[in-house]
Amino acid sequence: MSEIADARFARAAAIVKAGSVQHALDEGTLPARVQITLAEAVLLGLLKQDVRTFIGIFGHGSTDLGEVMRVYEAAGALRTHPVRNEVEAAHAATALRWATGEKAAVFTSIGPGAVQALAGSLAASSDGIGVWHLYADETTEAEGPNMQQIPGGGQEQFLKLASTMGPAFTLHTPWALPEALRRGLNAVDHPHRAQPFYLLLPINTQPQLVEMNLKALPTGAAPGLGAAADDGRYEQAARALLDAGKVVVRVGGGAREAGPEIDELLSLIDGFAVTSPISSGVLPYTHPRNLTVGGSKGSISGNFAMENADALLAIGTRGVCQSDMSRTGYPKVTQVVNVNTDPADVVHYNHTIPLLGDAKLTLTRLIEALRALGAQPKDLTSDWATDCLAAWDEWTAFKKERYDSPTLFDEVWQREVLTQPAAIKQVYDWARQHEDAVMFFDAGDVQANGFQVAEDDRVGRTITETGASYMGFAASALLSTGIARTPFFGLSMTGDGSFSMNPQILIDGIAHRTRGAVVLFDNRRQGAISSLQLDQYGIDYATNDQVGVDYQAWAAATAGVQALHGGHSLGDLSDALDKAYAHDGLTLIHVPVYFGSNPLGGLGSFGRWNVGPWVAATEELRHQLEV
């Protein structure tokens, strides 16, 4: 090693021996004041925040950063996972934080790679997942255009671009590092609404030497909000909910930690819960007051409650277009109680009693207010309960009819093949028998059918990327199974369209010891959009092709990938899943599935959406509503 590398290795070894940067500083084995390059200072700052996993692609813009990472990995202080696509890196880092809570940083070179990672970060931004993004950037000396920078005469063009997605910072000078790290910490570890943070590293400032006080590098995320302030609002909210005859409780992502409180609250107000895909499992599927998903692609039961309720209790939810049917999801609601940590979201609806605070703590106070007014747990005998349970029975029978007809003749495959509802249900049933199995859902038809099928008994069983609906997320997410400090078994639930957009997992999954399966539901089209076109116009257009792909052979071409056919029956699919679980590595299971006009081939839609020819009717209804 060179003298510089030797000094770096000694610092990294001191951190490993002490267990953390802070412990090494406390013990004095890592000097507080050191003369180091900016690139090393960035890594030390991230290690101090327990960011030890780095995923991405090196280029000419990140050679100095890469050299520091090489030395620190040799000492055991961090792990670098080079991949073959920056979008994949962004998805893998997102999935790792989402599924395990482990922090990660995405790294890229300058230019196209950074743009790809920025695009991939849309999933984390939309779903509230905190991920560091480290992008190389143009030099600060303005000696002329840098290769791969954004063309044009403007200064710090990529900072402007990244800032449209979320908080971003350019290390134009090394001395700005402590503030940059603080802003990044506040973003990725935000207690209620985490998001990516984009740290731009100019090529020429990375190797600059700086005497840095390591004790000045920040740690400690901002604390979360407590319960909402009272000001008489708890009693007001409690009275409004008790006076209402038909209460629907919308459970969003911000309510994922409040399951017990929601359980108690529902019986006190005779309410029925409708969940978002991101909050599946907050209440067990079998909970008698859980009507499951609602929205433009909701369930019969969930949408019944939304359509007929006269009061809404919204918990940790945003007014996303498909979630609340483009602002028409609650046409009879005249009173809203909204629990949220975001000042804008908490007053999204008119006629709202806002409770700005943590969902779990605020609901505890609301329950106290309800009991103070004499509220007692109610049985399921009211007219509202009877109607909601009838809708639940209708939904259950609707799904059972499709599960009881698991195969249909398909024109493309020229034989009987599995339907998506039946096949997805089979994977769900199989996954529930394996405690370490996590299902990642891709965008498209598989995702839509998936959250309608979902029968989660706890949060974390399924991860459904509905925030950005990013095609290719699920396959890339499998990389997290091999990267995680505590490995788990992952199932990528994806369609042929989504998989072909991000198939790098076939290589990177082997390189990084992924353990899981790509369950590829192949209907030879972009099924979600084909279905939408058929519903809207009676004909599909440019959403399918005649190119047959042997996905099993494609997977088998990569050494180490187990390539299986999912068969044409539920038993065949279950056998393939067993083989995938027994395999110490990555498996691809190719499952031909039905697409066509037979209603038993899908789970359908039961709501409104402000798109295409539905716009006029949806907007006309919205303009009539007061909430």
Side-chain angles (χ1 to χ4, degrees):
M1 287 188 179
S2 67
E3 183 177 339
I4 293 176
D6 286 343
R8 285 173 174 165
F9 188 88
R11 286 188 285 269
I15 293 167
V16 173
K17 184 177 181 180
S20 71
V21 172
Q22 191 60 53
H23 286 157
L25 288 171
D26 293 342
E27 294 171 2
T29 54
L30 178 64
R33 290 191 173 274
V34 290
Q35 188 175 51
I36 54 178
T37 64
L38 175 61
E40 186 176 0
V42 168
L43 287 181
L44 282 167
L46 292 176
L47 287 172
K48 199 174 182 184
Q49 296 183 28
D50 198 33
V51 181
R52 293 183 276 163
T53 300
F54 296 79
I55 310 169
I57 300 176
F58 290 113
H60 78 272
S62 53
T63 57
D64 197 69
L65 180 68
E67 171 60 12
V68 180
M69 291 168 67
R70 179 190 70 80
V71 175
Y72 271 66
E73 183 165 29
L78 57 82
R79 292 178 301 156
T80 302
H81 300 274
V83 295
R84 285 159 177 78
N85 183 280
E86 291 88 357
V87 173
E88 177 194 21
H91 289 337
T94 300
L96 181 69
R97 188 76 191 266
W98 200 340
T100 70
E102 294 179 30
K103 302 179 189 180
V106 176
F107 64 89
T108 77
S109 187
I110 185 175
V115 173
Q116 291 214 100
L118 181 69
S121 73
L122 181 62
S125 181
S126 298
D127 292 293
I129 309 299
V131 178
W132 282 89
H133 280 246
L134 312 178
Y135 302 159
D137 201 6
E138 62 189 274
T139 60
T140 62
E141 298 262 335
E143 75 275 14
N146 287 179
M147 183 170 61
Q148 296 183 336
Q149 76 178 64
I150 295 177
Q155 187 179 25
E156 297 183 338
Q157 294 278 59
F158 207 91
L159 177 63
K160 299 173 185 177
L161 180 61
S163 295
T164 63
M165 188 75 78
F169 197 104
T170 296
L171 284 174
H172 194 280
T173 169
W175 298 110
L177 179 61
E179 175 61 18
L181 290 172
R182 167 53 64 188
R183 295 188 189 186
L185 178 61
N186 292 345
V188 302
D189 286 351
H190 191 284
H192 302 295
R193 184 62 185 164
Q195 58 186 318
F197 183 78
Y198 309 94
L199 185 60
L200 308 185
L201 307 177
I203 296 172
N204 65 311
T205 64
Q206 289 180 45
Q208 286 182 12
L209 285 172
V210 58
E211 186 173 321
M212 183 67 65
N213 182 354
L214 299 183
K215 290 186 177 181
L217 302 182
T219 59
L225 292 177
D230 194 341
D231 297 329
R233 289 181 179 177
Y234 283 104
E235 181 179 351
Q236 183 186 5
R239 287 190 183 279
L241 294 172
L242 291 175
D243 289 345
K246 302 174 180 180
V247 180
V248 61
V249 179
R250 184 70 194 209
V251 181
R256 280 178 287 195
E257 303 299 322
E261 290 73 24
I262 295 172
D263 176 28
E264 183 177 357
L265 186 91
L266 287 172
S267 65
L268 292 175
I269 61 176
D270 196 22
F272 282 81
V274 175
T275 57
S276 302
I278 200 172
S279 61
S280 180
V282 171
L283 293 173
Y285 175 77
T286 55
H287 192 287
R289 292 183 179 271
N290 180 13
L291 299 181
T292 70
V293 68
S296 63
K297 187 71 175 179
S299 64
I300 291 173
S301 49
N303 282 18
F304 173 85
M306 292 175 67
E307 287 290 302
N308 292 282
D310 57 17
L312 165 65
L313 171 57
I315 309 172
T317 182
R318 299 181 296 153
V320 178
C321 63
Q322 291 198 58
S323 178
D324 76 349
M325 302 187 212
S326 301
R327 196 65 179 262
T328 70
Y330 311 98
K332 298 179 182 178
V333 164
T334 58
Q335 180 67 69
V336 179
V337 176
N338 201 328
V339 179
N340 208 295
T341 58
D342 186 276
D345 288 335
V346 80
V347 291
H348 174 72
Y349 298 106
N350 290 328
H351 306 297
T352 289
I353 301 169
L355 296 174
L356 182 67
D358 174 79
K360 187 178 184 70
L361 298 175
T362 299
L363 291 181
T364 299
R365 296 279 303 275
L366 181 57
I367 289 169
E368 293 172 356
L370 286 163
R371 291 194 177 278
L373 292 176
Q376 296 294 324
K378 297 174 179 61
D379 57 22
L380 297 168
T381 59
S382 67
D383 291 343
W384 177 233
T386 299
D387 290 343
C388 286
L389 293 176
W392 174 255
D393 289 341
E394 183 182 353
W395 176 235
T396 301
F398 181 88
K399 290 198 294 183
K400 184 177 184 300
E401 185 180 14
R402 281 141 185 81
Y403 300 154
D404 288 346
S405 300
T407 62
L408 293 172
F409 182 83
D410 184 89
E411 291 293 336
V412 171
W413 299 109
Q414 284 295 298
R415 62 160 298 147
E416 293 259 335
V417 295
L418 289 167
T419 67
Q420 281 203 63
I424 293 171
K425 175 66 159 57
Q426 183 67 19
V427 181
Y428 258 110
D429 290 346
W430 181 92
R432 280 202 305 274
Q433 299 171 22
H434 299 81
E435 280 299 314
D436 66 335
V438 177
M439 302 171 69
F440 297 98
F441 276 88
D442 236 324
D445 214 25
V446 176
Q447 179 193 75
N449 281 289
F451 61 67
Q452 288 178 308
V453 169
E455 298 183 5
D456 292 327
D457 54 358
R458 57 175 171 80
V459 174
R461 281 287 200 184
T462 61
I463 291 178
T464 303
E465 202 289 282
T466 53
S469 281
Y470 209 119
M471 296 181 74
F473 170 80
S476 299
L478 282 188
L479 197 66
S480 64
T481 67
I483 291 175
R485 297 168 196 171
T486 302
F488 59 97
F489 186 86
L491 290 161
S492 166
M493 308 288 282
T494 187
D496 53 299
S498 287
F499 177 76
S500 60
M501 288 191 177
N502 275 99
Q504 296 87 3
I505 191 65
L506 294 179
I507 303 170
D508 293 330
I510 300 303
H512 301 296
R513 298 191 59 78
T514 286
R515 182 168 177 263
V518 175
V519 187
L520 197 158
F521 301 93
D522 185 5
N523 57 15
R524 293 277 294 276
R525 65 180 59 240
Q526 296 172 7
I529 306 305
S530 290
S531 297
L532 187 62
Q533 290 173 331
L534 289 166
D535 286 345
Q536 292 187 333
Y537 305 104
I539 189 169
D540 59 332
Y541 171 68
T543 52
N544 66 86
D545 57 55
Q546 304 303 314
V547 181
V549 177
D550 188 339
Y551 290 99
Q552 194 175 351
W554 185 0
T558 304
V561 177
Q562 178 180 225
L564 302 174
H565 194 279
H568 302 99
S569 71
L570 298 179
D572 291 342
L573 179 54
S574 183
D575 290 343
L577 290 165
D578 287 340
K579 291 177 182 176
Y581 194 75
H583 179 63
D584 186 20
L586 177 63
T587 299
L588 182 140
I589 303 174
H590 178 234
V591 186
V593 292
Y594 171 82
F595 184 89
S597 59
N598 193 317
L600 297 179
L603 285 169
S605 299
F606 308 97
R608 290 173 295 276
W609 197 9
N610 198 31
V611 295
W614 303 333
V615 167
T618 301
E619 291 189 348
E620 182 181 3
L621 174 60
R622 179 170 64 84
H623 296 156
Q624 296 174 8
L625 303 179
E626 296 181 4
V627 167

